[in-house]
Amino acid sequence: MNLAMGAYGFYVWTAVAVFLIVLLIDTLAPLARRRRNLRELRARIARQENRRRPGTPSSHESHP
Amino acid sequence: MANWVPLWLHRLGSPPVFYRFAGAVRPWALGLALALGAVALYAGLFVAPADYQQGDAYRIIFIHVPSAWMSLFIYGAMTLAAFVGLVWRIKIAEVVAMESAPVGAAFTFITLATGSLWGKPMWGTWWTWDARLTSELVLLFIYLGIVGLYHSFEDRRQGARAACFLVLVGAVNVPIVHFSVNWWNTLHQGSTVRLVGPSHIEASMLWPLLTMMAATKLYYIASLFARVRADLIASEGGKAWVRELLTREEGAA
Amino acid sequence: MNPTRKRRLAIVISVLVAAVVAVGLIVFALQRNMSYLFTPSQVQEGQATQYPTFRLGGMVKSGSIQRAADTLKVSFIVVDDGGAMPVEYTGILPDLFRDNQSVIATGRMDSGRFIASEVLAKHDENYMPKELKDAMAKAHENRKIEDTATQDAGK
């Protein structure tokens, strides 16, 4: 296989790397964001449940 | 006239339906994009013959040109979604427009970076302020401006509307990018320098290029749908369907 | 002014600034490229005299490239349909720089010669394998030979 790309290996392979790395970041970012959003939402719902039932102790909020 | 098409589109306008639809389509689009992209990259780098003039340096074309096409195509799709979102106040359209912008910015960045890597050995410079390069750089700024504007509002809906407006304003740049080479050429006082000839590429080099074009289109769909899903969970967080989804996912986990 | 309004104002101003910068860059690029490229015949007609530096565009005349033995200095002739212009340049040339290649040189005139500070190679949009190019060149030559043969026969 022609891995040297004539004298242009540096340019060709750097271009390929830029392409793959940028798109990999672009693929992973929304997946991580979705997970984070789900986690935050779960925490919010848990807080609301706690407020509805004041008997249960809450670790996040202090009720006056 | 098939009645089911607008009905289907109308249903898709509902966030829970779109969320499920996007979740079902995304893995297929991504899988197909990866398969086609791998074939195109292999064919472009190893199978296609070297160019008579540029040797192996021309192989950057298989990344650069499909990315450049995507940088404009995504802007077109985003403009359409922003227009629908602004005029009919369809929330999904706004979200699609907003979540298209980062993907478009990624492709624009790839276009500029790979173009620079191609320009250095062939033209002899990393960068020159010609109309095509400059307008593509402006396209990147517009994409980043849209992303920034969307996230600078506390109220997401308000941010989306303001940014959708910017999308429409920035659409002026798309024809400038596309035609810059033609317009620029005609400004060249009929010189004998053949700056732009009729686009011509031999078939053995063309098919990997078209395959990569299909792969990047599918990739856009996959990335967009993943982003829309993430966005909907945050913006529809208070709605019943997201809570249902949450309990269902907890059960699965 | 309350913080929300202040932020909104900042956003509007930054969007406006970005738009102005964008339009400015486009105009800047178009203006430079609209007027600053001249072919050798246009330079010889005196169209470029008003510019201290300009861009010269044309084709490298076949066989005109002369490289200095010990320095990076190189001289060549850029031609178009009706003119020719000797060019001098010191520096590293792009890989595509060769006979019959389109080039765009930036520089100034000095006693009938163009002293370039930068030489860029311009390639066309045709991509094809070397074999095909050779075959096409061969076919072209054959046709030329046939043409001259028929012309000779007609005499």
Side-chain angles (χ1 to χ4, degrees), chain A residues 1-2 5-6 8 11-13 15-16 19 22-23 26-27 30 33-34 37-38 41-42 44-45 48, chain B residues 19 45-46 54 56-57 59 63 99 117 122 219 223 227 229-231 233-234 237 242-243 246 249-250:
Chain A
M1 278 208 283
N2 170 28
M5 293 294 160
Y8 306 112
Y11 300 104
V12 175
W13 291 114
V16 172
F19 180 66
V22 170
L23 291 189
D26 178 78
T27 304
R33 203 173 100 210
R34 180 168 169 273
N37 287 349
L38 280 172
L41 192 62
R42 241 174 236 139
R44 207 167 82 202
I45 290 169
Q48 283 172 355
Chain B
Y19 184 90
L45 291 173
F46 301 116
Q54 302 185 36
D56 288 307
R59 295 182 192 281
I63 292 167
E99 296 300 333
L117 284 162
M122 289 298 108
Y219 175 84
S223 180
R227 287 170 181 283
R229 275 159 68 87
D231 188 300
I233 287 172
V242 179
R243 309 218 156 192
L246 219 56
E249 290 215 350
E250 254 163 22

Side-chain angles (χ1 to χ4, degrees), chain B residues 9-73:
Chain B
L9 266 179
H10 186 73
R11 284 228 185 100
L12 214 51
S14 128
V17 174
F18 195 95
Y19 184 90
R20 274 199 300 278
F21 172 76
V25 170
R26 196 191 82 87
W28 293 97
L30 188 63
L32 210 53
L34 286 177
L36 285 177
V39 169
L41 213 51
Y42 180 81
L45 291 173
F46 301 116
V47 180
D51 182 54
Y52 77 100
Q53 194 172 209
Q54 302 185 36
D56 288 307
Y58 97 102
R59 295 182 192 281
I60 294 172
I61 197 176
F62 298 110
I63 292 167
H64 177 75
V65 168
S67 300
W69 283 337
M70 286 317 287
S71 71
L72 295 180
F73 176 86

Side-chain angles (χ1 to χ4, degrees), chain A residues 2-3 7 9 11 14 26 29 31 34 38-41 46 48 50-51 53 56 62 64:
Chain A
N2 170 28
L3 291 175
Y11 300 104
T14 310
D26 178 78
L31 301 183
R34 180 168 169 273
L38 280 172
R39 205 171 49 234
E40 275 169 13
L41 192 62
Q48 283 172 355
N50 281 349
R51 210 172 297 150
R53 284 172 286 142
T56 13
S62 57

Side-chain angles (χ1 to χ4, degrees), chain B residues 66-193:
Chain B
S67 300
W69 283 337
M70 286 317 287
S71 71
L72 295 180
F73 176 86
I74 292 175
Y75 205 99
M78 185 170 71
T79 307
L80 193 70
F83 184 76
V84 170
L86 282 177
V87 175
W88 285 281
R89 301 270 145 150
I90 297 169
K91 188 182 171 174
I92 279 293
E94 289 171 11
V95 174
V96 164
M98 289 303 99
E99 296 300 333
S100 288
V103 193
F107 276 113
T108 310
F109 175 79
I110 292 170
T111 306
L112 290 167
T114 56
S116 190
L117 284 162
W118 195 358
K120 182 60 189 170
M122 289 298 108
W123 298 341
T125 182
W126 296 103
W127 183 264
T128 181
W129 291 101
D130 91 358
R132 173 51 76 76
L133 275 66
T134 307
S135 56
E136 185 76 12
L137 182 66
V138 168
L139 184 68
L140 180 65
F141 290 160
I142 292 173
Y143 272 126
L144 295 180
I146 291 161
V147 174
L149 193 58
Y150 179 44
H151 290 291
S152 61
F153 279 78
E154 238 158 73
D155 182 69
R156 296 178 82 95
R157 205 75 206 268
Q158 222 180 342
R161 284 199 191 131
C164 278
F165 192 72
L166 181 59
V167 171
L168 296 188
V169 174
V172 188
N173 189 44
V174 172
I176 294 179
V177 174
H178 182 76
F179 291 109
S180 55
V181 277
N182 302 0
W183 293 340
W184 184 32
N185 193 25
T186 56
L187 294 173
H188 273 284
Q189 306 117 342
S191 60
T192 53
V193 192

Side-chain angles (χ1 to χ4, degrees), chain C residues 80-150:
Chain C
D80 70 334
D81 267 348
M85 174 67 61
V87 178
E88 262 175 35
Y89 174 68
T90 305
I92 297 163
L93 288 159
D95 292 1
L96 277 184
F97 182 84
R98 54 182 83 149
D99 283 350
N100 298 320
Q101 182 70 42
S102 296
V103 292
I104 296 171
T106 311
R108 62 192 166 78
M109 291 303 294
D110 183 27
S111 56
R113 304 170 79 82
F114 187 79
I115 311 299
S117 56
E118 184 185 44
V119 175
L120 302 182
K122 175 83 200 173
H123 58 80
D124 57 27
E125 291 184 351
N126 293 321
Y127 297 95
M128 61 182 102
K130 198 176 179 313
E131 295 79 39
L132 183 66
K133 180 69 182 174
D134 292 346
M136 276 170 68
K138 216 173 184 181
H140 193 69
E141 240 163 62
N142 284 346
R143 199 162 52 236
K144 240 190 240 164
I145 291 163
E146 268 169 39
D147 284 352
T148 36
T150 42

Side-chain angles (χ1 to χ4, degrees), chain C residues 27-130:
Chain C
V27 170
F28 176 71
L30 286 179
Q31 263 188 343
R32 274 177 62 127
N33 291 304
M34 257 192 283
S35 54
Y36 282 5
L37 184 103
F38 298 97
T39 61
S41 48
Q42 285 170 332
V43 175
Q44 278 155 359
E45 281 164 22
Q47 289 188 28
T49 43
Q50 48 180 319
Y51 301 101
T53 67
F54 59 92
R55 289 180 189 176
L56 176 74
M59 197 121 79
V60 178
K61 191 183 173 190
S62 185
S64 72
I65 303 172
Q66 288 181 330
R67 288 169 204 270
D70 48 349
T71 60
L72 284 172
K73 194 170 170 179
V74 61
S75 65
F76 52 94
I77 299 169
V78 169
V79 293
D80 70 334
D81 267 348
M85 174 67 61
V87 178
E88 262 175 35
Y89 174 68
T90 305
I92 297 163
L93 288 159
D95 292 1
L96 277 184
F97 182 84
R98 54 182 83 149
D99 283 350
N100 298 320
Q101 182 70 42
S102 296
V103 292
I104 296 171
T106 311
R108 62 192 166 78
M109 291 303 294
D110 183 27
S111 56
R113 304 170 79 82
F114 187 79
I115 311 299
S117 56
E118 184 185 44
V119 175
L120 302 182
K122 175 83 200 173
H123 58 80
D124 57 27
E125 291 184 351
N126 293 321
Y127 297 95
M128 61 182 102
K130 198 176 179 313

